[in-house]
Amino acid sequence: MRADERLIAFTPKLVTVLHEGYSVDRLRRDSIAGLTVAIVALPLAMALAIASGASPDKGLVTAVIAGFLISALGGSRVQVGGPTGAFVVVIFSVIAQHGYDGLLLATLMAGVMLIIAGYAGLGSLVRFIPQPVVTGFTAGIAVIIASSQVKDFLGLSMESVPADFLPKWGAYFAARDSLQVLTVTMGAASLALIIALRKWAPRLPGFLIAVILAAAAVALLHLPVETIGSRFPDLSAGLPAPGLPDFSLAKVRAVLPSAFTIAFLAGIEALLSAVVADGMIGSRHRPNQELVGQGMANIASALFGGLPATGAIARTATNIKAGAITPVSGMMHALFLLLFILFASDLMAYVPLAALAAILFMVAWGMSEHHRFIQLLRMPNGDRALLLLTFGLTVLVDLTVAIGVGVTLASLLFMMRMSQAVEIANDSSEMATPSEDGEDIHQRDALPAGVEVFRIDGPLFFGVANELLDTLRRVGPPPKIIILRMRRVPLLDASGVATIEDIVRQAASAGTQIIVSGIQAQPLAMLERISLGPAGQHILFSDDFSDALRVATAIATAPSAAAERLN
């Protein structure tokens, strides 16, 4: 990458749009969009924080600090960031194992990892995460989020809720007699209102309306349901002072796996959200700068005592639909939330937890991508098994395990399919048929005695390298000349190189000459690394099959003359 291209790649989109010129009309449109998103983000940030095992103010702090920096420093024109459902499971687990300080340390470390990943150019790797893995673990997270809200939605009296999925539902069943009818009514009414508004008045902020009406009912009717104020009586107003979390080398080692998981989820979700935004506005984000911006935002969030943050697809889409055109809209959304924290945070005390549980049920439903999940179930067995395995591991075991196993199996599945697509054939006895690129697909029916021709279609990598050797061995006695037709080999990896090297070694011991025809640039460069290129004496190279056949004929019919010519 040239210096000027690298400079552009690591320039925040905010800088670009300001250089384009920023007018009063743009500010007006971005401000309206920012206010719209803030209305959506307000109840969502509180609900996600509570579901994660933190207090609601932590979610608001995250939305303000991280949300502002994700827009200001990121590589997307309209990305909106903050706490998201993808982090709920991880945050809850980290707090349970290492305390809130452990979460802050893991978030800070994840921010550093994201910055390193961005400057290392890893932003484009998101496209290599297969869809069954992404859908499997997001659907799994959705199930976990929904199951975590059953206690608050039903008003169950429980001293503690197990973290694991199956024990959690066992505990719910054991506490079924403590169900509170009024709480269930409050939650069901909030859920029904959100669904109705989404269907018949989608432009209205259904989450906020449901929360306001539920809080008003609690305040005016003095309903005996659990609220934010009753569970979190000591909430602080305003932003906390920044500071480093307590840490030690032992604690760094303990939270390192969680930091990797947070960094991975933040990077994946942010880049997926940016891709969705690009499709909606016809723009193009800068993936590496997006990772850098996400890293900066997570570091700042940790310093202010907030939660991990990333780009939020639903809020980004809301931002676009509300008329946003620059990153200023995301920054304005954070400023509007800050105003709420400073001047209206006391109103949070009246919000019933059942209403927030209803919101999270809707978030989980949106995350589940049930249409895509069903669609993937109709795919071939390998994709279907990958989807269900990732989903099951996410729900029943651990998100980190699910991601690791899913990506590994997806890679193995891809390599298996690639190996099945590669064809290695002996063309010596076939009739000639012209191909689209001008080279025969099959060898002609008449060849000089002692000449064998082999054609390779597809990448020659470790998954199929041994097949080439097996195909050559099936010929029988070593021929005098072997022509390897490699015009259709786009890639040669280290295992393929080792296979070619073995073929050359065996050919040399048997007195067989190897001729390679039509080799492409990448395979040729790989062979040159081990001195098997044109400068060497072990392999002859021809531009096309016709020339390779001419050379083979000369060697087969006049070996001594050919040897003199070649030397």
Side-chain angles (χ1 to χ4, degrees):
M1 185 183 293
R2 299 197 309 268
D4 55 340
E5 293 177 343
R6 186 171 180 81
L7 180 62
I8 294 175
F10 290 101
T11 299
K13 277 288 186 177
L14 177 64
V15 175
T16 300
V17 299
L18 291 179
H19 283 169
E20 294 172 353
Y22 196 74
S23 63
V24 174
D25 180 64
R26 281 190 164 192
L27 177 61
R28 179 186 61 81
R29 293 174 62 182
D30 283 335
S31 297
I32 293 174
L35 178 60
T36 303
V37 178
I39 291 172
V40 173
L42 177 61
L44 200 55
M46 294 189 294
L48 290 170
I50 294 174
S52 302
S55 58
D57 58 315
K58 304 299 184 186
L60 292 173
V61 167
T62 307
V64 171
I65 301 298
F68 185 90
L69 293 178
I70 285 172
S71 296
L73 302 178
S76 174
R77 188 174 285 262
V78 289
Q79 178 90 282
V80 174
T84 68
F87 288 125
V88 168
V89 181
V90 179
I91 295 172
F92 191 91
S93 176
V94 175
I95 293 176
Q97 294 180 37
H98 308 289
Y100 198 78
D101 278 344
L103 173 67
L104 297 180
L105 181 58
T107 304
L108 193 149
M109 292 167 60
V112 175
M113 293 175 189
L114 286 167
I115 294 173
I116 294 173
Y119 284 118
L122 301 182
S124 59
L125 292 183
V126 64
R127 65 178 183 268
F128 297 112
I129 307 297
Q131 192 61 54
V133 174
V134 175
T135 301
F137 77 71
T138 52
I141 291 171
V143 170
I144 294 174
I145 291 174
S147 66
S148 70
Q149 297 306 300
V150 171
K151 172 182 177 294
D152 290 338
F153 190 83
L154 301 180
L156 301 178
S157 298
M158 303 171 63
E159 293 183 3
S160 62
V161 179
D164 295 333
F165 182 77
L166 294 179
K168 179 178 297 182
W169 279 96
Y172 289 156
F173 184 77
R176 63 189 183 281
D177 293 337
S178 63
L179 182 145
Q180 301 292 322
V181 176
L182 184 59
T183 300
V184 175
T185 303
M186 176 69 70
S190 300
L191 183 60
L193 177 60
I194 293 170
I195 294 174
L197 290 174
R198 181 165 292 189
K199 183 175 181 179
W200 288 298
R203 290 185 174 275
L204 295 179
F207 289 168
L208 187 64
I209 292 174
V211 165
I212 290 176
L213 291 180
V218 170
L220 297 176
L221 302 177
H222 304 287
L223 300 178
V225 297
E226 190 173 20
T227 64
I228 289 178
S230 63
R231 181 175 293 184
F232 306 100
D234 300 322
L235 288 179
S236 58
L239 293 178
L244 285 171
D246 294 334
F247 67 93
S248 62
L249 184 59
K251 199 163 191 177
V252 168
R253 290 176 178 172
V255 302
L256 184 60
S258 299
F260 273 113
T261 303
I262 292 171
F264 178 83
L265 287 176
I268 290 294
E269 189 164 359
L271 294 173
L272 288 176
S273 177
V275 169
V276 171
D278 287 348
M280 294 179 70
I281 66 174
S283 181
R284 185 178 179 184
H285 73 285
R286 295 165 182 159
N288 294 318
Q289 179 57 35
E290 183 63 30
L291 290 183
V292 173
Q294 297 287 335
M296 296 286 191
N298 275 279
I299 291 174
S301 180
L303 295 178
F304 279 88
L307 307 172
T310 185
I313 296 177
R315 274 161 276 174
T316 298
T318 301
N319 190 38
I320 295 170
K321 292 175 182 177
I325 51 177
T326 78
V328 174
S329 61
M331 298 161 64
M332 293 300 295
H333 127 272
L335 293 178
F336 284 121
L337 288 175
L338 176 61
L339 292 176
F340 175 82
I341 292 176
L342 294 176
F343 301 109
S345 58
D346 290 344
L347 300 178
M348 287 192 298
Y350 296 102
V351 176
L353 296 180
L356 295 182
I359 290 174
L360 287 174
F361 281 152
M362 294 302 298
V363 171
W365 179 249
M367 283 187 65
S368 68
E369 295 187 296
H370 58 284
H371 294 300
R372 190 186 298 274
F373 196 97
I374 295 172
Q375 184 183 63
L376 287 171
L377 287 176
R378 302 190 184 105
M379 293 293 107
N381 290 337
D383 294 311
R384 185 162 58 245
L386 185 60
L387 170 73
L388 295 176
L389 181 62
T390 307
F391 173 78
L393 288 175
T394 301
V395 174
L396 300 176
V397 183
D398 180 75
L399 182 62
T400 307
V401 173
I403 293 171
V405 172
V407 172
T408 301
L409 290 182
S411 302
L412 293 175
L413 180 63
F414 169 77
M415 288 183 286
M416 182 187 71
R417 288 172 173 171
M418 286 296 296
S419 66
Q420 292 172 346
V422 177
E423 181 182 1
I424 300 174
N426 181 358
D427 284 354
S428 299
S429 61
E430 302 290 344
M431 295 298 293
T433 304
S435 67
E436 294 180 359
D437 60 7
E439 182 163 299
D440 294 341
I441 295 176
H442 299 301
Q443 173 62 3
R444 62 182 185 173
D445 58 348
L447 282 173
V451 177
E452 293 285 347
V453 180
F454 294 88
R455 171 175 45 86
I456 309 171
D457 287 348
L460 188 55
F461 67 110
F462 62 89
V464 295
N466 288 333
E467 185 179 342
L468 177 58
L469 283 173
D470 294 339
T471 303
L472 292 176
R473 292 190 184 109
R474 286 195 292 265
V475 173
K480 184 178 293 185
I481 300 164
I482 292 177
I483 300 177
L484 294 179
R485 303 177 64 177
M486 297 182 63
R487 183 178 297 278
R488 295 170 180 254
V489 179
L491 179 138
L492 187 67
D493 74 349
S495 297
V497 170
T499 298
I500 299 293
E501 192 174 23
D502 287 343
I503 292 171
V504 171
R505 186 183 305 112
Q506 294 176 19
S509 63
T512 300
Q513 176 65 59
I514 302 295
I515 302 175
V516 174
S517 71
I519 191 168
Q520 298 190 35
Q522 192 275 345
L524 179 60
M526 290 292 288
L527 292 179
E528 287 176 337
R529 289 174 178 266
I530 59 169
S531 301
L532 287 181
Q537 300 297 319
H538 304 289
I539 302 178
L540 298 179
F541 290 88
S542 297
D543 292 336
D544 53 39
F545 172 69
S546 298
D547 183 58
L549 185 60
R550 180 184 58 79
V551 174
T553 303
I555 297 175
T557 57
S560 58
E564 291 178 5
R565 181 180 63 81
L566 293 172
N567 292 330

